[in-house]
Amino acid sequence: MRLGVQLPEVERVVRRDELAAMARAAEECGFDSLWVGDHLLYRGDGRGERGPWDCWTTLAWLAGTTERVELGPLVACTAFHPPGILARQAAAVDELSGGRLVAALGAGWNQEEFRAFGLPFDHHVSRFEEAFTIVRRLLAGERVTFDGRYHSLQDAVLLPPPARTPRLMIGANAPRMLSITLPHVDAWNTWFTHYGNTADGFAQHNAGISAAAERAGRDPAEIERSACVLVEVERAGERPRDVEAVPADRLREHLRALGEAGADEAILVLDPITESSIRSLVSDTLGV
């Protein structure tokens, strides 16, 4: 099973040097990937205003900070940029990282940030469907002319030409979103709250994805499965516990069960997320 780490998003303000230290620690400790949340802000939940650094700027910077790990947004909201520009951003990060980008996409869900930045939330999935079509076709190297209800392009093309097509991942669970994306994606990801952060919960959820893939005309075996896992490194954590976290000393056992339930990848959401938590988790728990 491949292992990734989500870098800080909502826990606290993390400055450049600490972010770099965490990224380098994850790479040195043998993790396979690093992930960055794509949000504009959080507010109205009783925890004050907070938000991460810009996703695509951070990924481009991480491309030069690291050498080996895959890099991806968790997940990129297609509503935050015109789809042609989003495809260009993704292609640039893939080039600058030497072909290490996972183009993970979603529709977004936090209406408060849409309101704050004047972004439309109406016809949410229909807007996503058009944007997803444009992004995936451009990243595949096509010239795209598209005349939709929400987006239109005329002979758009990515230049310089991308050296490859990044692996395409969807972060979604709703039936219509799955019907739109599963015919095309290489991988599917789910957040820990959607399956209860348990191996049994993931197995049940995963079976539904396989059924949805078949309905979409895909062989379920062609679609990799990725699960985010909330891990308690210390009891005095920084994240609200929407589900029961996996204690660090039980993580190896949990990952084994998750793999048996069908997961190809686990993206660890460590609580707290610090350089020391990354290093201690690997040396004490995973034995890497």
Side-chain angles (χ1 to χ4, degrees):
M1 176 184 289
R2 297 190 308 276
L3 292 180
V5 173
Q6 189 199 35
L7 292 177
E9 179 187 29
V10 300
E11 295 84 352
R12 64 189 185 283
V13 175
V14 176
R15 300 292 176 183
R16 174 184 182 275
D17 290 347
E18 185 182 4
L19 197 63
M22 282 187 273
R24 291 173 181 140
E27 187 162 73
E28 291 169 8
C29 289
F31 282 97
D32 301 297
S33 57
L34 288 171
W35 301 85
V36 176
D38 187 18
H39 282 284
L40 307 178
L41 59 77
Y42 288 89
R43 63 161 64 119
D45 60 358
R47 300 184 61 215
E49 291 187 324
R50 63 206 187 283
W53 300 109
D54 176 74
C55 171
W56 290 102
T57 306
T58 303
L59 287 170
W61 176 72
L62 287 170
T65 303
T66 59
E67 298 178 354
R68 176 188 57 80
V69 290
E70 287 189 319
L71 303 169
L74 197 63
V75 291
C77 178
T78 57
F80 290 170
H81 305 278
I85 303 305
L86 177 58
R88 281 182 52 82
Q89 290 170 307
V93 170
D94 192 59
E95 173 68 23
L96 296 174
S97 65
R100 292 185 283 137
L101 176 72
V102 180
L105 304 175
W109 56 269
N110 181 7
Q111 293 190 45
E112 184 61 36
E113 61 189 342
F114 280 74
R115 284 191 293 268
F117 283 84
L119 299 171
F121 199 80
D122 63 299
H123 304 286
H124 194 52
V125 177
S126 295
R127 291 179 185 274
F128 169 83
E129 184 172 17
E130 290 189 4
F132 176 76
T133 300
I134 292 166
V135 171
R136 68 173 178 79
R137 289 180 59 192
L138 284 171
L139 288 177
E142 295 183 35
R143 286 183 174 269
V144 178
T145 294
F146 187 93
D147 186 17
R149 181 177 179 183
Y150 307 104
H151 303 287
S152 62
L153 284 77
Q154 184 64 45
D155 196 27
V157 63
L158 298 185
L159 296 172
R164 65 158 205 152
T165 300
R167 188 157 61 97
L168 190 61
M169 176 187 282
I170 181 61
N173 297 278
R176 186 179 169 202
M177 288 287 291
L178 295 174
S179 71
I180 292 167
T181 57
L182 290 183
H184 307 286
V185 298
D186 304 297
W188 162 82
N189 170 266
T190 189
W191 192 245
F192 52 78
T193 53
H194 290 295
Y195 69 94
N197 211 42
T198 69
D200 288 343
F202 182 81
Q204 182 176 355
H205 201 37
N206 191 39
I209 298 301
S210 293
E214 291 179 346
R215 289 193 296 272
R218 288 289 298 279
D219 178 354
E222 295 176 351
I223 302 172
E224 294 186 351
R225 315 302 167 93
S226 171
C228 296
V229 180
L230 179 62
V231 181
E232 181 183 89
V233 181
E234 298 175 10
R235 287 189 179 276
E238 299 170 308
R239 276 188 171 267
R241 297 302 169 84
D242 302 306
V243 296
E244 184 176 350
V246 177
D249 60 5
R250 289 174 46 201
L251 181 58
R252 186 183 297 195
E253 174 189 349
H254 179 82
L255 293 176
R256 185 180 302 113
L258 201 61
E260 292 172 354
D264 301 294
E265 174 182 61
I267 299 174
L268 306 184
V269 182
L270 305 181
D271 192 16
I273 171 65
T274 62
E275 179 188 359
S276 62
S277 70
I278 293 171
R279 294 188 183 279
S280 67
L281 182 76
V282 172
S283 62
D284 297 344
T285 303
L286 299 179
V288 176

